[in-house]
């Protein structure tokens, strides 16, 4: 819905599997080990837990999806830079089962997704909260989507500046960011 003109490049993957049949079915079962990884796993989370990770000014931080399920909007500061993390959506795991050929919900579980942004519009810092199922800024009452777009209110049509981030499995994020910090529920409550 956010990218109605998006194009699928090819359903011919070259991997000998039909499109929608991922090669790593079950890979994100949080109780399993990453079968394609031979390094040691940081024990702060299960290896296959999902996190959103970002690096700002040489500091890396991870926000576990389990934390974000409890706190879908996080106003934070990383290395002195203000950020806001949004969590939600109906993003399906490509690893938990087979998708039907037209990419409908097969046996795949909903894992959600994230957006990370600078919380400023025209130099004015905004503070975001969850009101019901909607992300709203306290300053103008505008409603925002996970893409950082104001969809209703005084700021409708305005966009937040994205912060480079990515959704990862914990083992992969921690392997490449050994000094990462991880946000906890206690920090946010």
């Amino acid at each position: 819905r956010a990218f109605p003109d998006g194009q699928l490049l090819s359903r011919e993957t070259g991997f000998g599997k039909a499109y929608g049949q991922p090669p790593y079915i079950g890979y994100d079962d949080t109780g399993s080990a990453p079968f394609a990884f031979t390094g040691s796993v940081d024990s702060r989370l299960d290896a296959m837990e999902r996190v959103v990770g970002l690096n700002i000014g040489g500091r890396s931080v991870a926000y576990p999806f389990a934390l974000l399920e409890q706190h879908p909007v996080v106003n934070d500061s990383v290395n002195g830079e203000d950020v806001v993390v949004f969590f939600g959506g109906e993003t399906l795991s490509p690893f938990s089962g087979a998708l039907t050929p037209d990419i409908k919900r097969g046996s795949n579980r909903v894992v959600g997704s994230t957006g990370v942004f600078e919380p400023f519009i025209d130099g004015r810092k905004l503070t975001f909260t969850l009101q019901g199922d909607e992300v709203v800024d306290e300053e103008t009452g505008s409603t925002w989507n996970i893409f950082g777009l104001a969809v209703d209110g005084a700021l409708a049509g305005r966009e937040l500046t994205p912060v480079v981030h990515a959704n990862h499995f914990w083992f992969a994020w921690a392997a490449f960011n050994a000094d990462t910090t991880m946000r906890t529920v206690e920090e946010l409550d």
Side-chain angles (χ1 to χ4, degrees):
R1 284 182 257 160
F3 303 100
D5 297 326
Q7 295 180 356
L8 179 63
L9 298 180
S10 174
R11 288 181 178 258
E12 302 301 321
T13 64
F15 293 113
K17 289 189 173 260
Y19 189 83
Q21 297 293 319
Y24 299 111
I25 289 177
Y27 202 65
D28 67 348
D29 175 3
T30 58
S32 69
F35 64 81
F37 178 72
T38 59
S40 62
V41 176
D42 184 313
S43 63
R44 290 181 283 173
L45 289 175
D46 286 339
M48 306 311 277
E49 289 286 335
R50 290 178 182 270
V51 300
V52 59
L54 55 136
N55 289 295
I56 296 180
R59 282 200 62 204
S60 62
V61 62
Y63 300 83
F65 276 28
L67 165 91
L68 296 173
E69 287 171 356
Q70 296 175 42
H71 298 275
V73 177
V74 176
N75 297 283
D76 202 5
S77 178
V78 177
N79 206 22
E81 299 291 327
D82 291 317
V83 297
V84 62
V85 181
F86 297 159
F87 177 81
E90 293 280 324
T91 303
L92 299 175
S93 169
F95 302 108
S96 59
L99 295 173
T100 60
D102 58 352
I103 313 298
K104 291 182 180 174
R105 184 187 314 244
S107 59
N108 296 67
R109 68 185 179 94
V110 175
V111 294
S113 193
T114 62
V116 182
F117 306 95
E118 296 175 4
F120 299 94
I121 293 288
D122 298 329
R124 179 181 186 190
K125 183 178 178 189
L126 302 176
T127 305
F128 296 89
T129 61
L130 191 66
Q131 294 181 10
D133 290 335
E134 297 182 327
V135 176
V136 176
D137 73 75
E138 293 178 356
E139 291 72 18
T140 72
S142 296
T143 303
W144 300 80
N145 68 19
I146 197 166
F147 301 107
L149 174 68
V151 294
D152 193 29
L155 297 176
R158 300 295 303 273
E159 293 182 76
L160 299 172
T161 300
V163 171
V164 175
H165 67 284
N167 299 327
H168 294 278
F169 292 115
W170 171 244
F171 83 89
W173 177 257
F176 286 97
N177 297 277
D179 63 343
T180 194
T181 57
M182 182 174 49
R183 295 298 189 246
T184 65
V185 171
E186 295 75 28
E187 292 175 301
L188 301 179
D189 284 338

